Amino acid sequence: MLKISNTKIIFIVIAIWYAVGNFIWWQINTPIIPYDIAARHFLDIFTEGYLFYNAPLLTYIMRFMFYIFGKEYFDLIIIFINYIFFLIPLYFIYKIGTELKDKETGNIAMILFAMVPAIYGMSRQYGHQDYHIIAAIAFNIYCLIKTDHFKNLKWSIIYGISIGLGLMIKDTFISYFFPPFIIILIQSFRQNFKVSNIINILLSISGACLISGWHYFRFLIFRKLLNEPITDPGAPVFSFESLRVMTVGLWEELLSPPIFLLFLAGLIWFIIKYKNDYKYPFILCMLFPWTVIMLMSQQKYAEFGAGFIPIIILIIALSSSYINKKSVKKMILGLTIIIGMLQYIDFSYGIDTKLFNNSFTYKNHKINYYNKKNTAIIYYDNSKDILAIKISNYLKTNYPNATILIKEFREDTLDYLSFISWMLLNNSNVYYDDLFDFPPVNNINIVMYSHMGISADELIASRIGYLCTTFQKNINYSNRKFLMKQLKFLKEREKEINNNFYQVNSFNFKNEFKRIIILARK
């Protein structure tokens, strides 16, 4: 008789739960249109966009899937790809647990990983690849352990491949793999180091470079990696709103309080009691990127910390497995599962159990039990896409072959990146009237803009302000001259549009003062 292990049962149950749960969520919320920064990444699938600025692996995967299956069920395809990116870390988190201690540790890690709200939340939307590097991090850590301090040739090569793949998912993977790599490298030199170790290390580096070097060994990417965390404008580094993202935000937007409290207790035990060669690589794998995110001036989002989740879960699993009293261990795990399942129902399907609505105020800042309305991680409001769908249907019916120019929208009327994504999914020929990349207006049939849109003067002023902030007010004369030239072009374009297009329809957004105006060529 075939004997099925507890591990296989746990893995299969979690896999089925996520598949069925996400399919039900998709049926409730479809169509799930990417928005904001996620939409900018999503646009890479259809246009060159930022493809050679951002790591392209996920974009290539999505292009292939759309080529094979079409775009009709685009959001279901996204959920399917994300499902694969869930199963990969689920498996490797178990394997890491068994390597560090035993099967029980691996099983606990799998269960807790599936209970993290940010995991099932981000598994349903396109996001901006912070979710997808979780798989790369878990795979990379496992490969690093299996290299046995670079004594094992096969796993040293696979480790190099894991680095290359991780870098091709998102460039922030550098901050996760590099510190543990350096620590293990130092440990390797201190042990019985041989020429074969050097060969294995060089093979790891070569494998990583072979896979990702063509993307990263370019000046543009070097400049991006060095400049973005420093120059991209955001909240002051030491303001409460900036600091809360990677502190309070760890429970408020990623883990939820039960798992966060288990992590704090586990971290204390891990630092004081745990003895293993992989103790410091583990700590640095989380501490280094956490410090980078905390100190960078760039706008911070809680999902930037998604890469911490495998380490956090493994620390909890390790500390839990060392609890001697089985009754205490079962009680902690059982209570966590019960709360986790109630949270899953509450956060996923809008069934308010009223158990997780608590909050308190600290210096006029509201701190939630969990931010259920975080649209980037856990919550999706399909009502925000109704306007985009209405406009798209109108254009498809009345102007099926039109070339459409989208002018600057106010953010409070319509997310233009989300709207362009939806138009491209519906095979529309769309251009965005970008300050730095004007499409030729003579080929345009339709012009769209918001009634409360930004004028040419406002637009140029906002760009000058942005550039001054970005370059710390060191904008030079040639840049100012270029911007003034663009201002003149914008004004000429306004005249051209006014002379050649007339209004054919408008769509109200919330009230008559916020409208999307559609102009057609006369």
Side-chain angles (χ1 to χ4, degrees):
M1 183 177 176
L2 180 65
K3 186 178 180 181
I4 300 175
S5 67
N6 291 338
T7 297
K8 287 180 180 177
I9 292 171
I10 291 169
F11 186 90
I12 291 168
V13 168
I14 291 173
I16 293 172
W17 161 34
Y18 260 65
V20 174
N22 281 1
F23 183 74
I24 293 170
W25 184 90
W26 170 75
Q27 286 195 314
I28 294 169
N29 292 283
T30 188
I32 303 144
I33 306 173
Y35 66 97
D36 195 38
I37 303 301
R40 184 177 293 281
H41 287 275
F42 190 69
L43 290 178
D44 291 345
I45 299 167
F46 306 100
T47 63
E48 287 305 316
Y50 283 74
L51 179 56
F52 292 102
Y53 187 66
N54 297 317
L57 181 58
L58 189 67
T59 300
Y60 285 145
I61 292 171
M62 293 303 302
R63 283 185 177 184
F64 174 75
M65 293 297 285
F66 283 175
Y67 176 77
I68 298 296
F69 298 105
K71 295 179 288 189
E72 183 179 0
Y73 298 108
F74 74 96
D75 43 5
L76 190 57
I77 291 172
I78 291 170
I79 287 174
F80 173 75
I81 296 297
N82 288 351
Y83 179 64
I84 302 301
F85 274 89
F86 165 72
L87 293 179
I88 292 169
L90 184 69
Y91 172 76
F92 282 110
I93 277 174
Y94 164 76
K95 295 294 287 182
I96 295 167
T98 59
E99 289 290 329
L100 295 177
K101 191 171 184 288
D102 53 26
K103 286 186 176 182
E104 181 190 49
T105 305
N107 290 340
I108 293 171
M110 278 199 294
I111 293 167
L112 292 176
F113 180 71
M115 291 289 167
V116 176
I119 295 297
Y120 53 76
M122 290 192 289
S123 73
R124 297 160 179 166
Q125 300 190 51
Y126 191 71
H128 23 107
Q129 284 74 69
D130 298 285
Y131 167 79
H132 301 93
I133 62 168
I134 293 172
I137 291 165
F139 178 45
N140 179 257
I141 292 170
Y142 179 69
C143 293
L144 183 60
I145 293 171
K146 294 295 286 184
T147 64
D148 190 19
H149 292 83
F150 296 102
K151 296 186 184 101
N152 187 298
L153 173 61
K154 181 184 84 171
W155 281 103
S156 294
I157 294 170
I158 297 173
Y159 174 68
I161 293 170
S162 75
I163 293 173
L165 292 174
L167 289 172
M168 292 303 284
I169 293 173
K170 191 164 187 179
D171 49 32
T172 52
F173 180 73
I174 293 171
S175 64
Y176 289 96
F177 93 83
F178 193 68
F181 169 70
I182 294 298
I183 294 294
I184 295 298
L185 202 61
I186 293 169
Q187 290 177 355
S188 301
F189 279 113
R190 287 180 174 177
Q191 295 179 8
N192 186 19
F193 199 73
K194 299 177 181 178
V195 175
S196 60
N197 295 69
I198 297 175
I199 293 171
N200 292 345
I201 290 165
L202 291 176
L203 285 171
S204 292
I205 294 170
S206 300
C209 292
L210 189 65
I211 292 171
S212 62
W214 65 273
H215 175 74
Y216 282 91
F217 297 155
R218 295 180 292 141
F219 175 73
L220 175 68
I221 303 301
F222 278 116
R223 188 174 65 183
K224 174 194 176 185
L225 295 176
L226 292 173
N227 287 350
E228 264 194 7
I230 302 168
T231 59
D232 273 14
V237 173
F238 296 106
S239 68
F240 178 78
E241 285 304 312
S242 179
L243 293 173
R244 77 180 288 174
V245 176
M246 287 294 112
T247 51
V248 177
L250 288 178
W251 90 60
E252 197 182 28
E253 308 209 26
L254 290 177
L255 303 173
S256 80
I259 295 177
F260 180 75
L261 291 173
L262 288 176
F263 166 62
L264 286 184
L267 184 63
I268 294 168
W269 170 87
F270 189 79
I271 292 170
I272 297 173
K273 296 286 187 180
Y274 188 64
K275 306 295 181 185
N276 190 291
D277 281 349
Y278 299 101
K279 174 177 180 174
Y280 295 108
F282 258 56
I283 291 173
L284 283 177
C285 187
M286 191 176 76
L287 182 61
F288 183 77
W290 182 85
T291 304
V292 170
I293 296 169
M294 281 289 287
L295 296 180
M296 71 182 185
S297 59
Q298 185 181 358
Q299 180 70 43
K300 300 178 181 69
Y301 299 95
E303 58 264 40
F304 289 176
F308 307 152
I309 294 173
I311 307 300
I312 288 171
I313 293 304
L314 285 163
I315 287 174
I316 297 171
L318 278 167
S319 61
S320 300
S321 67
Y322 277 96
I323 297 173
N324 292 325
K325 289 188 177 182
K326 287 188 176 181
S327 58
V328 175
K329 190 189 301 184
K330 287 180 179 179
M331 183 184 70
I332 292 171
L333 189 59
L335 190 60
T336 304
I337 291 172
I338 291 169
I339 295 172
M341 289 307 297
L342 289 171
Q343 286 180 167
Y344 179 85
I345 294 167
D346 190 316
F347 301 165
S348 296
Y349 307 116
I351 302 171
D352 191 356
T353 62
K354 303 192 183 300
L355 296 171
F356 312 111
N357 298 337
N358 293 328
S359 63
F360 64 91
T361 302
Y362 172 75
K363 293 185 178 179
N364 297 321
H365 298 283
K366 186 179 180 182
I367 311 295
N368 298 298
Y369 173 92
Y370 193 83
N371 185 5
K372 296 190 284 185
K373 297 299 182 182
N374 183 335
T375 51
I377 293 179
I378 197 77
Y379 179 75
Y380 185 79
D381 178 13
N382 54 14
S383 66
K384 67 182 173 56
D385 298 320
I386 291 173
L387 180 63
I389 294 168
K390 276 185 179 179
I391 296 172
S392 176
N393 289 341
Y394 170 81
L395 291 170
K396 206 167 9 174
T397 302
N398 295 281
Y399 302 93
N401 300 311
T403 302
I404 301 161
L405 175 68
I406 300 175
K407 295 182 65 181
E408 190 85 11
F409 285 160
R410 289 285 192 188
E411 289 184 2
D412 59 353
T413 52
L414 195 64
D415 180 345
Y416 74 89
L417 290 170
S418 176
F419 180 69
I420 293 173
S421 297
W422 181 246
M423 296 291 281
L424 289 169
L425 284 164
N426 283 275
N427 300 313
S428 298
N429 190 14
V430 181
Y431 294 94
Y432 177 61
D433 205 7
D434 194 326
L435 180 65
F436 300 105
D437 184 23
F438 290 115
V441 78
N442 57 302
N443 295 326
I444 302 296
N445 307 115
I446 299 288
V447 174
M448 297 179 57
Y449 69 96
S450 55
H451 178 62
M452 300 291 288
I454 298 175
S455 68
D457 297 282
E458 286 178 309
L459 181 58
I460 202 77
S462 71
R463 290 294 194 268
I464 290 173
Y466 170 76
L467 288 171
C468 286
T469 303
T470 303
F471 299 108
Q472 300 172 342
K473 299 186 179 180
N474 290 326
I475 187 168
N476 57 38
Y477 174 74
S478 63
N479 283 339
R480 288 185 184 276
K481 189 175 179 181
F482 169 73
L483 289 169
M484 292 305 110
K485 184 178 179 182
Q486 295 293 70
L487 173 59
K488 183 180 177 182
F489 187 95
L490 278 171
K491 289 182 174 178
E492 290 173 355
R493 167 157 286 187
E494 291 293 312
K495 289 180 183 177
E496 188 174 4
I497 289 171
N498 289 336
N499 291 334
N500 292 285
F501 292 82
Y502 69 99
Q503 182 174 330
V504 293
N505 207 333
S506 66
F507 292 84
N508 290 344
F509 181 76
K510 292 184 179 178
N511 58 59
E512 61 181 12
F513 298 107
K514 295 178 181 178
R515 289 185 293 158
I516 303 296
I517 310 295
I518 298 182
L519 306 177
R521 186 174 286 279
K522 292 178 180 177

